[in-house]
Every structure is written in C-alpha cells, then in structure tokens.
Amino acid sequence: MAEKKRTETTEGRRERKRRQTRARIENAAMTLFLQRGFEATTIEDITEAADVSKRSFFDYFPSKEEVVFAWQDAFADRLMAAIAARPTDESSVTAVEAAITATVIAAVDEPGLALGDLIHRTPALKARDQLKYAKLEQKLAEALLLRKGDDPLERPRMRVLAAIVIGALRVGAELWQQRPPSASPQDFAREIFADLWKMLAEFGEEAKTRR
Amino acid sequence: MAEKKRTETTEGRRERKRRQTRARIENAAMTLFLQRGFEATTIEDITEAADVSKRSFFDYFPSKEEVVFAWQDAFADRLMAAIAARPTDESSVTAVEAAITATVIAAVDEPGLALGDLIHRTPALKARDQLKYAKLEQKLAEALLLRKGDDPLERPRMRVLAAIVIGALRVGAELWQQRPPSASPQDFAREIFADLWKMLAEFGEEAKTRR
DNA sequence: GAAAATGTTGCGCTGAATGCAAAAATGCAA
DNA sequence: TTGCATTTTTGCATTCAGCGCAACATTTTC
C-alpha cells in the first residue's frame, strides 16, 4: 500500500503514475511554500493544488518538512560515491576537496539550493536543515574512514576533518547566498577551500607557538 | 499574562511562585520523558503530574521541545561572557580554548548533559539539538569577532574558527558519552584540544604540499 | 479595601499525523 | 473479455500540539 516492492519485473504504468503524482505534490508544495510561506501552507492546500486526497499526501511524504528535504539523501549518497571514487593513495584533504567541489558543482543547478531563504525564515525548517548537515558530516566521515581501510585510529581524525569541511560548506553556502550570480561556482569553491586550508595552517601554527 | 515585566521593584511572592511552577513542570516533564520517552509523553501527562492546567504549560514553555532545551541559552551566554573576559592581546585559538574549557567544566555537573540518550533516541529532538550547536557557533563567532574590534576582514576567519571548535565540541561530547566516568573533564578537554590543534596543523600542511 | 496588574484556567478551534477499512485502479492470467 | 489478486487512493475517525479568547483568581499597589 505504501511501500515500494520490487518484484523483479520491469515496471510499467503503476510506477510511472506514482512518480508523476509524487512530482505533482512536490511541485505544488514548493510553489505554495515559496509563495505564501511554509507554515501558512496547509497540507490541504497542497493536496488540493495537486489534486489528490489529503490522506494520500502521507503516502508519499512522511511529513510536511520532508517535502522540502527530500533531495538531501541523494546528495549525501553522491558525495559518498565521489569520495569512494578518489584514488586511495591521495591525501584525505585532497580527496575531500575534489569530491565536495565536484558534487556541489553538479548539484548547483538543481532545485533545493534556491530554498535558502525559505529555510532561513522558518524556524522548524532551520532545525531540520542543521540535521541535514549533521547527517552529511557523518556520512562524509564514514566514507573518508573507509578509504583509510577502516583503521580505528583514524576515526577521530576523520570525524574532525569531516566536521571542519562540512562547517566550511555551511559557511560557504551562506556566503554563496549573498553573492552576485556572476561568479562561477568553480572559482568560488576553489577560493573557499584555499582560504580554509590556509586558516587551518595558521590556527595550527598559532596553537603550536603558544605561551 | 505570559511575559515577565520588571517594574523595577524587588520582586516578591509572584515571581517566586512562578519559578516554582516552572520548575515543577520542568521536573515532571523530564521525569516522564526519561521514563517513557518524549513522544509517548503528552502535554496532559506533564500538566497532570505538575498539577497545572494544560493551557498553563504554554504559558511557561512555547513547545514540548523547549522544555528539554531550556538550559541552552544560558550556556551560550556564559560562553560569550567567557570569551569576552579573555585579554584582547591573546590569540584567538588560546582564547577560545580557555573559554570553552572553563564554560564546559563549569556546566558538566548540571542537568542537561545527562540527556544525551533521550535526544539521541528521538528524531525531533535530534534536529533541535543540532540547531543548538548552530546557535552556539554563531554566538561564538560573534564573540570572537568582537574581540577583534569587529574587523570585517576577520569575519569569515572567525566564522570558520567557530565552526571548527564547535565541531570539535560536538565530537568531543559524543566521545565523552562513551567514556568511563573516571577521567576528569579537565584532562579530557585538554586532550581534545591538543588533538584538534595538531590535526589542524597537519591538515594545513597536507594541503600546502599538494600536487 | 478598591483598583489595577498579572496569573491561571476552561473552552473551542485549527492543523499535523496515524490507523483502518472501503473503494478504485492496475496487472495478470485463462 | 472476464475474473481475481495486488496495489493505490480515499474517506473517516481519532489523537495530540498549539493558539486565541474570555472568565476567573491572585497578587500588588495606592
């Protein structure tokens, strides 16, 4: 009824309709959210615009918030794949920079990045947004650790590296919002990372030569 | 009705009762949350146990979640104060290490740190928990920047430093959960920070000598 | 003590989310 | 095509969070 079950056979009309309906709900919801705000939009508004029953909404999304963040899992998975694809002999910082840059640039035109305003203006979404970063960080750490042969000693190192990089991603996303759309994402990413590594070296140096 | 208004006079019975009631609600809620879980506890359960009306609950807390996180603002403010108290000529990394260590150690015996399990087991609280760190990070960055005379050029640097340190705090809190209660918080904090600065230097170096 | 301010409660309402079972659509035979 | 199993969609009833409002209670102030 609600779960997708693959019975091996290549599927036809049923799945197609389901995807269409899902897309209709998603589009209707996004349009309304951006138009009149998240809280001011009721589930009924959405289902009416998408022409499905109110009950059916929950057959496609577990909650109102999930519509906004539906794309997130795919992004995290792509990032993990990008990390895994880097050569094993490469240093962690090089691998993570390359993987993040590639994944972000590939996703820069997708919907979901234009949502910054909406999320920022809605407390409930803000919390959910932070959780997204936390999950991303966890997956990134996992992927980085796997590259190192799952060495338990590397675990805290990779956790911290992931925290640093995702932190930079967060700050970077914020800076990106308030940039003219003229700058290319490539240059922007390169600059952000260059600054980041420079700061790391400086902070590390500062700590070393401390009284 | 719901807001506290100081009319300058030294307060008497009213405020005392209000604080008592607030504490009763908080205690009842926490007891029930830890006993049967967050979602399984209704507002009515809490108000019944605290012997107030259901409506009054919202006169003290804006939502069920806020009961759990009520202590957080105080912590953030104390951290800011600790940062502001450091001498201005001190390096940012030294200041932040000292301030965080002092503030965390002072708070280690307070309620709110035993909640890790509950939060970890409740999705809705997990999101809220991450938001707490985000707010902490923002305030920390603000405090650090103020120390630097609000120099706009230092802003991204301090944002990133705050992100790194709060990231370490997050990882540290996680590691602390799964530690024997034998280790002293002082040593633990010192060790965490030592590792952190070392990693920063290493990552910075790694990035510098890159192909 | 009376009047003003503040605190508490009951009541009713909206909206999110869930369970359940009936109805509709689809896929698959023969 | 028809009949049957499976999946999807829907309606309905229910629980619970949260808010607005107005009546009622208590405390403060004069």
Side-chain angles (χ1 to χ4, degrees):
Chain A
M1 281 109 184
E3 298 305 314
K4 17 176 183 177
K5 286 248 182 73
R6 283 292 76 257
T7 47
E8 217 50 74
T9 49
T10 28
E11 296 298 5
R13 172 128 86 254
R14 229 161 217 175
E15 287 221 331
R16 185 168 52 249
K17 271 200 148 187
R18 207 172 157 77
R19 253 183 290 115
Q20 284 172 354
T21 305
R22 189 189 164 92
R24 241 168 43 237
I25 294 176
E26 205 171 320
N27 289 337
M30 284 307 179
T31 305
L32 290 171
F33 288 164
L34 292 171
Q35 197 172 325
R36 37 174 119 154
F38 181 79
E39 330 230 57
T41 305
T42 73
I43 304 262
E44 223 168 352
D45 292 337
I46 299 167
T47 55
E48 221 166 293
D51 197 36
V52 288
S53 77
K54 182 186 157 196
R55 191 63 187 79
S56 284
F57 176 91
F58 294 99
D59 207 41
Y60 285 90
F61 297 95
S63 78
K64 223 168 87 172
E65 284 154 29
E66 289 309 307
V67 182
V68 180
F69 294 99
W71 55 278
Q72 114 195 1
D73 281 336
F75 182 85
D77 289 343
R78 267 179 283 167
L79 177 59
M80 277 196 81
I83 291 279
R86 305 299 306 180
T88 322
D89 65 323
E90 204 175 43
S91 80
S92 293
V93 299
T94 306
V96 83
E97 171 166 354
I100 291 231
T101 302
T103 311
V104 165
I105 286 176
V108 86
D109 287 325
E110 285 179 30
L113 291 185
L115 298 170
D117 272 344
L118 179 65
I119 291 171
H120 204 262
R121 286 182 211 296
T122 313
L125 294 183
K126 233 175 175 173
R128 199 39 237 276
D129 190 46
Q130 292 305 321
L131 186 62
K132 172 193 82 187
Y133 283 114
K135 279 185 181 169
L136 206 57
E137 184 183 311
Q138 219 166 307
K139 284 205 170 185
L140 176 58
E142 203 57 44
L144 283 169
L145 190 63
L146 240 60
R147 259 172 49 90
K148 292 270 181 179
D150 216 346
D151 179 358
L153 289 178
E154 288 285 347
R155 176 170 281 276
R157 281 177 60 81
M158 294 303 108
R159 286 282 283 112
V160 169
L161 178 58
I164 291 170
V165 171
I166 297 299
L169 181 65
R170 220 153 10 88
V171 177
E174 206 173 291
L175 294 176
W176 176 258
Q177 291 282 132
Q178 58 208 47
R179 281 270 158 173
S182 54
S184 87
Q186 281 87 353
D187 293 346
F188 190 81
R190 191 180 358 258
E191 200 182 325
I192 291 275
F193 272 110
D195 285 354
L196 175 64
W197 305 133
K198 189 154 55 100
M199 283 185 223
L200 255 48
E202 285 171 15
F203 291 140
E205 200 55 41
E206 228 171 299
K208 218 181 285 178
T209 67
R210 191 166 18 153
R211 65 162 165 304
Chain B
M1 285 112 180
E3 297 305 312
K4 19 177 183 176
K5 285 250 183 71
R6 278 295 79 248
T7 47
E8 216 52 72
T9 48
T10 27
E11 52 271 36
R13 171 127 81 255
R14 224 164 221 170
E15 288 224 330
R16 185 169 51 248
K17 271 195 150 187
R18 209 173 156 74
R19 255 183 288 115
Q20 284 171 355
T21 305
R22 189 188 164 91
R24 242 172 37 241
I25 294 176
E26 203 170 323
N27 289 338
M30 283 309 178
T31 305
L32 289 171
F33 288 164
L34 293 171
Q35 197 171 322
R36 35 175 122 155
F38 180 79
E39 331 230 58
T41 304
T42 72
I43 305 260
E44 223 167 352
D45 292 337
I46 298 167
T47 55
E48 222 165 292
D51 197 37
V52 287
S53 76
K54 182 189 159 194
R55 192 61 188 79
S56 285
F57 177 91
F58 294 100
D59 207 40
Y60 285 90
F61 297 95
S63 78
K64 224 167 85 173
E65 282 151 30
E66 288 308 307
V67 182
V68 181
F69 293 99
W71 54 277
Q72 113 194 5
D73 280 338
F75 182 85
D77 288 343
R78 269 179 282 167
L79 177 60
M80 278 196 82
I83 292 278
R86 303 300 305 179
T88 322
D89 64 324
E90 204 175 44
S91 79
S92 293
V93 299
T94 306
V96 83
E97 171 166 354
I100 290 231
T101 302
T103 312
V104 165
I105 286 176
V108 86
D109 288 325
E110 283 179 31
L113 292 185
L115 298 171
D117 272 344
L118 179 66
I119 291 172
H120 204 263
R121 286 182 212 297
T122 313
L125 293 183
K126 233 177 176 172
R128 197 41 235 278
D129 190 47
Q130 292 304 321
L131 185 62
K132 172 192 82 190
Y133 283 114
K135 279 184 180 170
L136 206 57
E137 185 183 310
Q138 220 167 305
K139 284 207 171 185
L140 176 58
E142 204 58 43
L144 283 170
L145 190 62
L146 241 59
R147 260 172 49 90
K148 292 270 181 178
D150 216 345
D151 180 357
L153 288 177
E154 288 286 346
R155 176 169 281 275
R157 281 177 61 83
M158 295 302 109
R159 285 283 282 112
V160 169
L161 178 57
I164 290 171
V165 172
I166 296 299
L169 181 65
R170 220 152 12 86
V171 176
E174 207 173 290
L175 294 175
W176 177 258
Q177 292 282 132
Q178 58 208 45
R179 279 272 159 171
S182 55
S184 88
Q186 280 87 350
D187 293 345
F188 191 81
R190 194 181 354 260
E191 201 183 324
I192 291 275
F193 272 109
D195 285 354
L196 175 63
W197 305 131
K198 190 153 55 96
M199 283 186 222
L200 256 48
E202 285 171 15
F203 291 140
E205 200 57 40
E206 227 170 300
K208 220 180 284 179
T209 66
R210 193 164 17 153
R211 64 157 162 304

